[in-house]
Amino acid sequence: SITPMDTLKEGRGVTGDRRRRLSSGLVVAQLALSVVLLVGAGLFLRTFAFLSGAPLGFETDGVLVASVSAQRAAAAPADRLPLFEQSLEAVHAVPGVESAAASLVTPVRGMRLQTPVDASGAEPLPDGDRGVLVNHVSPEWFETLGTPLIAGRNFTDSDQAGAPSVAIVNEAFARTFFNGRSPLGESIGRLVPAQPSVPIVGVSRDAVYRALREGVLPTVYLPFAQSREAGFFDLMSLSIRAGSGSWEHLARNVTAALNGVNPDLSWTLRPLDRQIDASITQERVTAVLSGFFGFVAVLVAGL
């Protein structure tokens, strides 16, 4: 015969087995979650390491970037480009400045100027593949950034407003439109509204334009002195390579030089290497947090 005590013992045994199975299941779930977090952390860390070590195509050491705005300056839109050129001349004369250049866009700043173009002598491309990045730069821009020209010539002081426009393209442009052959002597259409075609006079090394995660895209460089024809008047960037002295000393001198041009100009100063680091802050924070929580999950599962 079965007594009530036997029934109670049997019930307790069944309940204990269920608890052990539930506890084992929770441990398995914790371990599985820990593995997922660790794998995710590894992927994020690999992405961050890849972006940190990706070739830039330019040199960041010793370069200070000044983003200059003329929106508050008492100057008509037609006078802002000469004001920017005066700012460049003033900064170039600052003691300790090895070279300086103006541009509409500085690398890895998050800005993008893009337009579809045609290229003479190139194979026809679908509409979605004809988009190129565009930047307007002054003659010393490639020298200041340390991006070498591998063919043709650089911009000169003769490439002024009113003169026929010329273009420098990067290697990615040559690969996309000309299958890697030299684009010198060819021309680009639909690039400058006032000029049916723009001759290609130089080829530069590939360099990152807007973001590290985008890699290198086909890029066209135009003379900064002709940027008025493109309709850009409010904002420009100065890339300044320091020859000697501290960043603080150079920044004070650059500030004084810009104030001497027009005290109503507004600007921000930032070393280029910090601008690059700031562009991958999201990847850095994600990698650190995922690694931390993955470690905590493993520790809790182990306990």
Side-chain angles (χ1 to χ4, degrees):
S1 63
I2 299 177
T3 64
M5 183 61 66
D6 294 332
T7 303
L8 180 61
K9 290 181 179 179
E10 181 179 354
R12 287 178 177 176
V14 173
T15 303
D17 291 340
R18 290 177 179 175
R19 287 178 177 176
R20 283 192 294 271
R21 287 195 297 269
L22 178 61
S23 177
S24 299
L26 290 175
V27 171
V28 170
Q30 284 181 321
L31 290 175
L33 178 60
S34 301
V35 171
V36 171
L37 289 175
L38 287 177
V39 171
L43 294 175
F44 286 127
L45 286 171
R46 186 175 68 175
T47 299
F48 173 70
F50 173 78
L51 293 178
S52 300
L56 299 173
F58 54 87
E59 301 172 2
T60 61
D61 294 339
V63 178
L64 183 68
V65 176
S67 300
V68 184
S69 173
Q71 291 180 349
R72 297 190 304 175
D79 298 329
R80 290 176 181 175
L81 181 58
L83 187 62
F84 289 151
E85 293 176 329
Q86 294 172 21
S87 301
L88 174 60
E89 293 175 0
V91 169
H92 205 289
V94 169
V97 172
E98 180 179 315
S99 63
S103 63
L104 291 182
V105 179
T106 53
V108 197
R109 192 183 169 194
M111 294 180 60
R112 171 189 290 209
L113 304 176
Q114 188 172 15
T115 185
V117 299
D118 298 320
S120 66
E123 293 294 331
L125 296 175
D127 291 342
D129 296 336
R130 291 188 291 107
V132 300
L133 301 176
V134 180
N135 197 2
H136 291 248
V137 303
S138 63
E140 292 189 31
W141 194 81
F142 294 99
E143 175 186 352
T144 302
L145 271 294
T147 301
L149 293 178
I150 61 175
R153 71 168 178 89
N154 201 345
F155 296 134
T156 65
D157 292 336
S158 62
D159 299 317
Q160 293 293 321
S165 187
V166 293
I168 296 175
V169 301
N170 66 348
E171 296 172 294
F173 184 96
R175 289 193 300 270
T176 300
F177 287 88
F178 299 98
N179 294 323
R181 66 179 178 87
S182 175
L184 293 179
E186 304 293 349
S187 60
I188 305 173
R190 302 201 306 168
L191 185 60
V192 177
Q195 189 171 333
S197 63
V198 178
I200 300 173
V201 298
V203 181
S204 72
R205 288 289 186 193
D206 283 339
V208 176
Y209 183 101
R210 188 174 79 101
L212 292 173
R213 62 183 64 87
E214 285 184 350
V216 177
L217 300 175
T219 305
V220 178
Y221 302 93
L222 297 173
F224 180 80
Q226 299 173 358
S227 61
R228 179 188 305 175
E229 301 173 7
F232 303 106
F233 310 108
D234 295 336
L235 183 68
M236 72 134 180
S237 295
L238 294 175
S239 299
I240 308 160
R241 178 166 292 279
S244 60
S246 64
W247 282 117
E248 293 78 9
H249 181 70
L250 182 61
R252 286 195 297 269
N253 290 339
V254 168
T255 297
L258 292 175
N259 275 328
V261 174
N262 190 319
D264 292 327
L265 289 174
S266 59
W267 62 87
T268 58
L269 297 175
R270 191 180 204 180
L272 183 56
D273 55 359
R274 295 184 184 177
Q275 183 167 300
I276 303 302
D277 290 340
S279 70
I280 55 176
T281 298
Q282 178 180 347
E283 286 77 6
R284 181 188 296 108
V285 172
T286 302
V288 171
L289 289 178
S290 59
F292 171 76
F293 286 114
F295 172 77
V296 170
V298 170
L299 180 62
V300 171
L303 292 176

